Amino acid sequence: MSGGGRVVRYVFRERVLHALTALSYVYLLLTGLAFWTPGLYWVAAVLGGGYLTRLLHPWVGLVFSGVLLWMFLTWRRDMRITPEDRAWRRAMRHYIRNEDAQVPPAARFNFGQKQLFWLMVIGGLALLLSGLVLWFVASIPWQLRILRDAAILVHVVAALATIGGFIIHLYMGLAVVPEGLHAIVHGDVSEEWARHHHALWLERGQPARVPPATMPATKNDATSRG
Amino acid sequence: MPTSTLELLRISATTAPAPGVRVVPTITKLVDTTTCIGCKACEVACQEWNDLPPETTVQMGTYQTLPDMTANVWNLIRFREHEDNGALSWLMRKDQCMHCADPGCLAACPAPGAIVQYTNGIVDFQQDQCIGCGYCMTGCPFDVPKFHPKTRRVYKCTMCVDRVSVGLQPACVKACPTSCLQFGTKDAMLEIANARVAQLHANGITHAAVYDPQGVGGTSVVTVLAHGDRPELYGLPRDPTIPVAVRVWKGPLKWIGNLAMVGGLLGVLVHYVRFGRKDHQQSVAGDQSKQ
C-alpha cells in the first residue's frame, strides 16, 4: 500500500447534515443555558433578547429533531453496536491515554462515536418530547400537571447528558484527533489516518478514493494538520 | 409598579441579592367565604380598575362567570354546589393570585426581573421582562398565572399594587358590599379571620377554619372556609407547596448540572495537558512493528 492516497470518509450529504445538527445544537445549547442560569442570561441578550430567544428555541428544536432523524436514518447501520465494540470498550482506557497501538481496530465508527450517536438520538428524543410539553404548557390541563413537572426534569437531565457528550465530541474532534475537523468539513482523510483510526472500515468498507489531482490544496492542508 | 426599589424583597432569575431594605408590614386580603353573596362586584371592579378588556362570559349552568381565570380576568368567583346529608350549600371562593410568601412562580422564572416580590408581600409580574416560557405556570401550586396567546406573556392579579402603594385598598375590596373582603396588615387580618372562625364554631359550623397554607410560607390572601377541613370542596389544594420537580430543578439539580459542566470542561483541559493530541504516525509505526 502506498499510504499516500486519500479516501472519502463523509459524502457531501453527511457533511451537510452534520453541519445542520451542529449549528442547531449549538444554538439550542447556548439559548438553553441562558434559561438554565441567570448568570448566562446575557447569552439570550446577545442572541436577540430573552423574548425572541424563547420564541425561536422551540422552532430550532424542531429543526434539530428533524436533522437528527435524518442523521439517524443515515448512520444507524454504521452505528449498530457489534461484538467488535466490546473489545474496543475494554481497551478504551488505552484509547483515552493515546496508547492507540493497544486499541483493537474499529469499523467506520468506533465504540465511543457510537455511544455519542445513541446518546444524542435518545437524548434528542427525550428533549423533543419534554420540549413539546414545555412549549405548549398552557395547553396541558391542570389535572395532568405531572406532565409539566416531568417535562422540566426530563428536559434538564437529557440536556445535561447531551452536553457531556458534546463537550467530549467537540474536544476530540478539534483537539485530540488529527484531521477530525478536516474530515467532517471537507469529507476526505488520508489512507494512513483511516488505517490508524478505522482499519476495519478501510478494509471492508472500501471507501472511494480521492483522485490526487482533484484536491491538491486540501491535501496539503490536511497533511499540515496531521 | 414598584414605588421604590427599596421595597424589592425578591427578584426572579437574579445573581445578586434584592435591594429591599425598607421594613413595611405584610399586607393581606381577607376573604370570608361565609359572607360572600356571589355578586361579582369584585370581578367587575378588578376588570375596571385594571382596565382589562372584557371576556365573553360562559354559561356554565352555575353562577360562575367563566370556567377559569384568563390573561384578562384575574379575579374569578368560583361557585360549587355541595350537598351534605341532604343539606345543600353554595360554596363560593375568590380565585386569584394568593401572593405566596414563598412564590413558586418566582422560583421557576428564568427571566431576570419578570417576577418580583415586594417587602409588603405582593408578588407582581413585570410583563415587559416576561419571555413567555410558562415556567411560572408550572411553579404555581394554585394554577393562577395565565398565558396570553397574542402577547405571549403571562398575567395575574397584582393585588392592585398601584393602589396599595399609595395607601388605597385593592379595587375588589373597595367594591365588596358585604365586607366579605377586607384588607390590612397580615396580623390584623388573621385576628379578624380567627375571631370569625370562633364565631362560626359557636354557631355550630364546627369545621370552619382559616386557609393560610404554610407549605408556601403562608399567603397574602387569607380565606375563611366554612368547610375548612376540606379545602378541596372549594377547589383549593389541601397542602400546597412549590412542586417537587421545581424545587429539585432549581436546587440540587442546578448545582449538580453546573458542577458537571464545569467538571467536563476541566476534565478535557486536564486530558489535553496530560495526553494531548493523538499522533497516528507514531502508532502506525507501532502497528507495523507488531506485525
Side-chain angles (χ1 to χ4, degrees):
Chain A
M1 297 247 261
S2 67
R6 298 191 68 78
V7 291
V8 175
R9 174 130 178 90
Y10 301 111
V11 297
F12 177 69
R13 196 170 61 89
E14 292 173 313
R15 275 133 61 200
V16 167
L17 75 84
H18 181 272
L20 289 176
T21 46
L23 277 177
S24 51
Y25 182 82
V26 167
Y27 178 85
L28 292 167
L29 170 69
L30 292 175
T31 53
L33 283 175
F35 303 138
W36 162 254
T37 175
L40 293 173
Y41 193 76
W42 59 268
V43 176
V46 170
L47 294 172
Y51 188 94
L52 183 68
T53 302
R54 163 61 184 83
L55 206 61
L56 292 182
H57 184 96
W59 287 102
V60 178
L62 289 187
V63 171
F64 176 70
S65 302
V67 285
L68 190 65
L69 176 67
W70 186 18
M71 183 181 265
F72 169 74
L73 295 174
T74 304
W75 282 347
R76 80 197 137 140
R77 267 181 217 94
D78 291 329
M79 293 292 183
R80 209 173 286 150
I81 308 286
T82 62
E84 283 148 2
D85 290 321
R86 237 161 271 154
W88 200 95
R89 189 183 60 203
R90 277 195 296 274
M92 197 186 256
R93 66 178 190 283
H94 295 300
Y95 186 82
I96 291 169
R97 292 176 187 164
N98 291 351
E99 297 160 353
D100 290 4
Q102 295 170 60
V103 179
R108 184 166 188 212
F109 296 110
N110 68 36
F111 182 64
Q113 289 170 301
K114 290 179 182 179
Q115 277 185 307
L116 176 81
F117 176 81
W118 292 109
L119 172 72
M120 284 297 177
V121 167
I122 295 164
L125 186 65
L127 285 164
L128 173 66
L129 295 177
S130 56
L132 285 172
V133 173
L134 296 176
W135 196 2
F136 300 106
V137 65
S139 308
I140 305 289
W142 181 242
Q143 290 71 23
L144 294 176
R145 60 188 178 277
I146 183 101
L147 283 180
R148 301 180 180 183
D149 295 356
I152 282 183
L153 294 180
V154 169
H155 210 70
V156 165
V157 171
L160 286 170
T162 65
I163 289 169
F166 174 75
I167 290 174
I168 296 170
H169 179 58
L170 196 68
Y171 166 63
M172 298 215 33
L174 294 181
V176 177
V177 178
E179 285 197 64
L181 180 66
H182 177 90
I184 201 61
V185 174
H186 301 286
D188 63 300
V189 293
S190 68
E191 246 175 75
E192 188 187 31
W193 184 94
R195 198 172 308 116
H196 176 80
H197 290 282
H198 299 277
L200 299 179
W201 169 67
L202 188 65
E203 282 166 26
R204 298 176 194 160
Q206 295 179 329
R209 264 156 224 290
V210 181
T214 56
M215 305 173 77
T218 38
K219 186 184 169 185
N220 292 339
D221 178 34
T223 318
S224 63
R225 267 171 203 285
Chain B
M1 193 180 290
T3 48
S4 165
T5 52
L6 297 181
E7 288 176 20
L8 283 171
L9 181 66
R10 281 194 181 123
I11 302 173
S12 63
T14 177
T15 51
V21 286
R22 192 174 285 165
V23 179
V24 295
T26 304
I27 53 85
T28 289
K29 184 191 290 177
L30 173 62
V31 183
D32 181 357
T33 59
T34 63
T35 54
C36 176
I37 55 170
C39 71
K40 319 285 167 56
C42 56
E43 288 185 7
V44 175
C46 178
Q47 276 325 93
E48 289 205 336
W49 175 260
N50 293 296
D51 209 357
L52 294 166
E55 203 84 56
T56 309
T57 56
V58 177
Q59 173 53 268
M60 300 172 63
T62 76
Y63 288 108
Q64 194 168 316
T65 316
L66 286 167
D68 198 2
M69 293 184 291
T70 73
N72 294 327
V73 176
W74 302 343
N75 175 188
L76 179 71
I77 298 298
R78 287 192 180 268
F79 181 95
R80 275 194 195 191
E81 285 185 358
H82 172 63
E83 209 177 322
D84 226 357
N85 298 323
L88 181 73
S89 49
W90 285 357
L91 303 182
M92 281 169 283
R93 193 255 297 187
K94 191 177 190 295
D95 196 6
Q96 62 155 99
C97 172
M98 304 295 272
H99 297 273
C100 306
D102 191 7
C105 55
L106 195 150
C109 178
I115 304 181
V116 295
Q117 184 183 38
Y118 301 118
T119 42
N120 64 6
I122 294 178
V123 178
D124 199 14
F125 285 11
Q126 310 291 311
Q127 277 83 12
D128 59 332
Q129 303 298 317
C130 174
I131 60 173
C133 66
Y135 281 154
C136 54
M137 303 169 74
T138 303
C140 176
F142 298 100
D143 193 20
V144 165
K146 292 289 176 257
F147 187 77
H148 195 296
K150 284 226 173 66
T151 66
R152 300 191 60 85
R153 300 174 201 264
V154 181
Y155 300 79
K156 68 162 193 71
C157 157
T158 67
M159 190 74 109
C160 285
V161 64
D162 47 350
R163 293 173 58 88
V164 171
S165 56
V166 293
L168 298 171
Q169 55 191 353
C172 56
V173 179
K174 181 85 177 170
C176 180
T178 65
S179 291
C180 151
L181 299 180
Q182 297 181 52
F183 183 76
T185 64
K186 178 127 192 183
D187 291 343
M189 292 303 108
L190 281 179
E191 204 179 313
I192 294 172
N194 288 326
R196 176 64 179 155
V197 166
Q199 196 181 22
L200 290 166
H201 286 175
N203 290 347
I205 303 170
T206 49
H207 294 304
V210 178
Y211 186 79
D212 179 25
Q214 295 305 304
V216 288
T219 54
S220 282
V221 174
V222 164
T223 309
V224 173
L225 302 174
H227 299 277
D229 56 331
R230 280 180 293 172
E232 313 84 56
L233 292 181
Y234 300 83
L236 284 166
R238 175 173 289 274
D239 187 21
T241 56
I242 299 179
V244 177
V246 172
R247 277 182 285 161
V248 168
W249 167 41
K250 292 294 177 181
L253 195 53
K254 185 161 191 165
W255 284 106
I256 293 168
N258 285 340
L259 285 175
M261 283 188 280
V262 173
L265 292 174
L266 285 177
V268 297
L269 185 71
V270 168
H271 182 272
Y272 191 72
V273 172
R274 174 70 182 79
F275 299 107
R277 203 167 170 80
K278 285 188 185 296
D279 179 358
H280 59 250
Q281 321 275 348
Q282 189 189 44
S283 22
V284 165
D287 284 347
Q288 282 164 352
S289 68
K290 252 198 308 187
Q291 284 161 1

